[in-house]
Amino acid sequence: MSEINRKELRQLIKSRKFDNIYLIYGEEKMYVKTDTDYLVTTLMGKQPPEFNYHAFTKDHNLDSIAVAIQVVPFVSEYNCVKVADFDVNAATKSEFEQLFDILDNVPDTTVLILTLPTLEQDIKKLGANFTKLLTYVKKNGTACAMNRETDISLSNQIIRWADKRGIKIERADAYMLQEYVGFDLNTIKNELDKLCNYVGDNGVITGEHIELLVSKRLEANIFQLTDRIVERKSTEAFNILNALFYQKATPDEIISIISMSYLDFYRVRVASECGVPLSQIAQDFGYGRREFILKKAESKIRRISTSALRESISEITETTAKLHSVSVDKRVLVEMLVAKLLMLAEKREE
C-alpha cells in the first residue's frame, strides 16, 4: 500500500505479491503499457480466461466496471479488471463519486488495474481529481509512476536494444539519436528499428546514418542552428534557418530555443571561470536529465569570448522585445539576429 518505482513493481509482480488496486501512470508510455501487460499476464496467464478478465479501453461505462469487479473467480485465482486511459480530470462529479464507490467495493479476489498507456499527462500538474485518486490508491493499493529515463540510462537502453539485434552503436551516437528524437521510448525504438534495418545484420549505426535517416524534432534543428552559429559556419546556419521556416517554425520558437542555448553557454562559461563543477550548475538550475547539454556546451564555446557571450544574450533579449512590440517582418528580425550572433562569435576578448 504505497507508491513504488518501476523496479519495485516488477519485483513484486514477479514474486506474485499482488494488491487489489493498481494505478500505473506516467510520462513513459512504453513502460506503462509493458508493465501493465506484465501484471495482467502474471495474474491471468498469456491467454486470460474470458470469464475472469475484463478490459475496458474505450468504453468506460462505470456501471459495467462495477459489475465486472464483483465477478467471482471461476477458472483462475483472481478476477482481473483493467481500465485503460480513464481521464478522471475530465470526469463529471457524479462519475468521480461513482469511481470511488467502485474502489471502496473491490473484493479481495479482484485485482483492479487503472492504467494510462496513451493518455497524456503533465506530471507537474496532475489535476485535482487525479491527485485525489493517487492519494486514495497510495493508501489502499499500489501506485507506480513511470518516469522518463535519464540521458545515461536512456543511452544504455538504446545500446541494449541495438545489441539484441546484433547491431553496434557507440554511446556518443546513442546520445545523438536521443537528442534528435527526444525522450519518448516508443519514438526512439521506432527510429532505432529503422536504423537497424538499414545497416543490416552485424552492422554498425553511425552518426552519419542517424543524420541521414532520423527525423529530427523541431527543437533539435534549432539547437543545431546555434551549434553552427558558435562554430562560425554562416552558410550552414542560414541553410538551417531557411529549413526551419520551411518547417513552419515560428520566430518565437526559434528565438526562444536560441535563448535557451546561449543561457546554457553563459552558465557553463561562468562556472568554468569560477571553478564551479557542471554537476552543481545542473542541480542549481534544474537541468535534470538535460545535464549532458552543459557538457556539450562546454566544448562548443571554447573559441567564443565571455564578452561576446554577454553581448549575444543582450542581442537576443532586444530581438525578443522587438518581436512583441515592433510592427516589422518577424522573419527579418530572426535573420538579423542570426547575422549579429555570427559576427559576435568572431569577436575576441579585448
Side-chain angles (χ1 to χ4, degrees):
M1 295 184 181
S2 61
E3 181 156 21
I4 60 178
N5 61 37
R6 183 179 185 235
K7 182 178 179 180
E8 291 169 330
L9 175 64
R10 294 186 72 86
Q11 287 174 340
L12 288 173
I13 294 172
K14 186 177 181 179
S15 61
R16 299 189 64 82
K17 295 178 180 178
F18 302 122
D19 246 324
N20 291 111
I21 302 173
Y22 288 88
L23 176 59
I24 303 175
Y25 69 104
E27 292 178 307
E28 192 42 76
K29 298 305 181 185
M30 176 180 283
Y31 288 160
V32 173
K33 183 181 185 304
T34 56
D35 287 13
T36 298
D37 291 345
Y38 180 46
L39 175 56
V40 170
T41 301
T42 306
L43 273 167
M44 310 303 292
K46 292 183 179 180
Q47 294 184 319
E50 183 177 347
F51 186 78
N52 286 133
Y53 176 60
H54 319 272
F56 296 86
T57 53
K58 295 180 180 179
D59 178 17
H60 297 116
N61 185 302
L62 292 172
D63 291 332
S64 298
I65 295 171
V67 171
I69 67 166
Q70 298 300 330
V71 173
V72 177
F74 178 62
V75 292
S76 58
E77 185 178 358
Y78 294 97
N79 175 51
C80 179
V81 179
K82 183 182 77 172
V83 180
D85 289 328
F86 180 51
D87 188 354
V88 293
N89 287 326
T92 64
K93 182 179 179 181
S94 61
E95 288 173 335
F96 194 60
E97 290 174 350
Q98 187 178 2
L99 174 63
F100 274 79
D101 184 60
I102 290 171
L103 295 173
D104 285 336
N105 289 282
V106 176
D108 292 339
T109 53
T110 291
V111 175
L112 173 61
I113 306 168
L114 303 174
T115 179
L116 304 177
T118 63
L119 185 68
E120 292 300 326
Q121 290 176 292
D122 184 343
I123 296 301
K124 295 180 180 178
K125 299 177 182 179
L126 292 173
N129 282 3
F130 189 87
T131 301
K132 290 177 183 176
L133 174 63
L134 178 59
T135 300
Y136 180 96
V137 176
K138 286 165 66 174
K139 183 179 179 181
N140 299 281
T142 295
C144 184
M146 302 296 179
N147 298 319
R148 297 287 195 204
E149 295 277 12
T150 63
D151 58 296
I152 295 175
S153 60
L154 185 52
S155 67
N156 288 336
Q157 180 65 72
I158 292 170
I159 292 169
R160 284 196 299 270
W161 274 336
D163 190 59
K164 284 183 178 179
R165 295 191 54 170
I167 306 294
K168 299 299 180 184
I169 180 171
E170 295 295 330
R171 187 170 300 277
D173 295 319
Y175 278 133
M176 181 180 181
L177 175 60
Q178 166 192 337
E179 185 177 357
Y180 276 21
V181 303
F183 288 87
D184 181 73
L185 279 178
N186 284 313
T187 304
I188 290 175
K189 185 67 165 58
N190 289 338
E191 293 294 340
L192 183 63
D193 286 343
K194 181 167 66 177
L195 288 163
C196 289
N197 290 334
Y198 182 81
V199 301
D201 294 342
N202 301 312
V204 178
I205 295 171
T206 66
E208 288 75 16
H209 295 134
I210 295 170
E211 187 72 41
L212 176 66
L213 297 173
V214 172
S215 302
K216 299 176 198 163
R217 294 174 302 155
L218 186 64
E219 181 179 337
N221 279 328
I222 301 174
F223 280 125
Q224 192 175 46
L225 169 62
T226 60
D227 289 349
R228 298 300 171 267
I229 291 172
V230 296
E231 291 167 1
R232 309 174 204 178
K233 296 179 179 178
S234 57
T235 301
E236 291 184 28
F238 277 103
N239 285 341
I240 293 172
L241 183 60
N242 288 331
L244 286 167
F245 283 123
Y246 180 77
Q247 291 177 281
K248 306 299 183 183
T250 67
D252 292 273
E253 288 173 328
I254 295 171
I255 292 182
S256 175
I257 295 178
I258 289 176
S259 176
M260 287 171 54
S261 293
Y262 270 82
L263 285 175
D264 293 338
F265 297 157
Y266 189 67
R267 287 166 180 164
V268 168
R269 172 57 55 78
V270 173
S272 175
E273 292 177 347
C274 297
V276 177
L278 293 184
S279 58
Q280 186 63 50
I281 296 297
Q283 181 178 336
D284 291 345
F285 290 95
Y287 277 78
R289 67 172 72 95
R290 294 183 66 251
E291 183 178 346
F292 74 98
I293 294 291
L294 297 177
K295 295 175 183 176
K296 291 179 64 176
E298 189 174 29
S299 63
K300 293 175 185 174
I301 59 169
R302 287 174 183 163
R303 296 168 63 189
I304 300 181
S305 68
T306 303
S307 61
L309 286 174
R310 292 195 183 103
E311 288 185 55
S312 296
I313 291 173
S314 294
E315 290 289 349
I316 294 167
T317 303
E318 288 181 22
T319 302
T320 302
K322 289 178 182 177
L323 276 177
H324 303 107
S325 61
V326 180
S327 297
V328 296
D329 188 325
K330 291 186 176 183
R331 174 167 178 163
V332 172
L333 279 178
V334 177
E335 290 172 342
M336 289 174 62
L337 174 63
V338 170
K340 290 176 182 177
L341 294 178
L342 282 162
M343 287 188 292
L344 287 168
E346 298 280 355
K347 183 178 179 180
R348 296 289 186 270
E349 288 284 10
E350 297 176 357

